[in-house]
Amino acid sequence: TQNYGFGIIWGLKDVDNCYEFKISDNGYYMYGNYTNGSWNSTIDWTLSSYITTDNSTNRLKISKEGSMVSFYVNDYYLNTATASSFFGGKFGFVVGPTEKIEIDNLTVTKLASQNKTNYTTQTANSNNYFQDDFSSNSNNWYQVNDNEKYQQVEYGNYVMENKTSVTALASTIEFPSSVSSTGEIGRAHV
């Protein structure tokens, strides 16, 4: 089976204009964007021993500071790339064909400081622009159950299952209007 990956999507205007940071169940990560429907890989699939495999929990973090964006998994720094302006104001999750993920927390915060080898962050405080623990669907995440996809907020998780073998599946909501160019774009347990 091919592993297409899953992760955080942001700066989304539409499916043809967005950024993606994904990991795979076999220990790889990548970063890139779609611009007018064309894929641009900034960081190709790269193996990392920090990614837990075989349906284990991983904690993803994206940190944007000025013109740079850094990527973390399970509290470990992975890589940094040049950041560009957002295409639009949506963020959320992406899951590849035949993949299923469960997200138990999503936080968007203003950064106080960074440490690229191991980071500490403050949660549930005034630095949070957005917080969702998925105890309810108060943020109106898309919910559906049909032959192609299953997306539900249930039991403290947002569950996304892509039942197709052809295309990726995304679920997004609008960025809080107060999000600036410096901050954590997203931190999620998947």
Side-chain angles (χ1 to χ4, degrees):
T1 355
Q2 180 135 11
N3 196 324
Y4 294 97
F6 45 88
I8 300 174
I9 188 171
W10 75 96
L12 183 124
K13 174 182 172 186
D14 53 38
V15 294
D16 291 331
N17 297 281
C18 61
Y19 295 91
E20 294 183 1
F21 169 50
K22 296 194 300 190
I23 64 171
S24 67
D25 195 37
N26 59 355
Y28 287 79
Y29 70 91
M30 58 78 65
Y31 162 64
N33 70 72
Y34 283 99
T35 303
N36 297 321
S38 295
W39 176 250
N40 305 295
S41 181
T42 304
I43 300 172
D44 290 329
W45 285 106
T46 303
L47 184 62
S48 171
S49 61
Y50 299 130
I51 299 169
T52 57
T53 58
D54 301 322
N55 297 317
S56 299
T57 299
N58 285 284
R59 179 179 173 176
L60 306 182
K61 176 186 169 188
I62 302 164
S63 178
K64 182 177 182 295
E65 189 166 0
S67 64
M68 302 305 290
V69 61
S70 298
F71 305 96
Y72 303 79
V73 70
N74 298 322
D75 297 335
Y76 292 98
Y77 168 78
L78 295 175
N79 214 325
T80 297
T82 302
S84 299
S85 298
F86 295 166
F87 296 107
K90 295 181 181 179
F91 69 107
F93 309 103
V94 61
V95 59
T98 68
E99 297 277 355
K100 178 181 178 181
I101 62 172
E102 295 183 16
I103 304 104
D104 67 5
N105 186 20
L106 175 64
T107 307
V108 177
T109 60
K110 180 179 180 180
L111 287 179
S113 65
Q114 286 186 306
N115 178 339
K116 290 187 178 180
T117 53
N118 201 350
Y119 69 90
T120 57
T121 56
Q122 302 169 349
T123 57
N125 63 32
S126 61
N127 287 337
N128 286 353
Y129 290 118
F130 177 87
Q131 172 79 41
D132 199 334
D133 64 2
F134 303 101
S135 57
S136 69
N137 195 19
S138 60
N139 289 305
N140 297 314
W141 292 95
Y142 184 67
Q143 297 194 95
V144 65
N145 183 8
D146 62 25
N147 291 336
E148 295 181 353
K149 56 196 165 290
Y150 179 85
Q151 294 172 254
Q152 296 291 319
V153 173
E154 58 186 25
Y155 309 110
N157 291 304
Y158 184 49
V159 180
M160 291 180 65
E161 180 180 5
N162 187 348
K163 300 176 185 179
T164 72
S165 59
V166 183
T167 61
L169 173 65
S171 183
T172 61
I173 59 175
E174 289 290 328
F175 259 120
S177 60
S178 57
V179 171
S180 68
S181 62
T182 300
E184 283 185 17
I185 294 168
R187 184 183 48 192
H189 294 215
V190 294

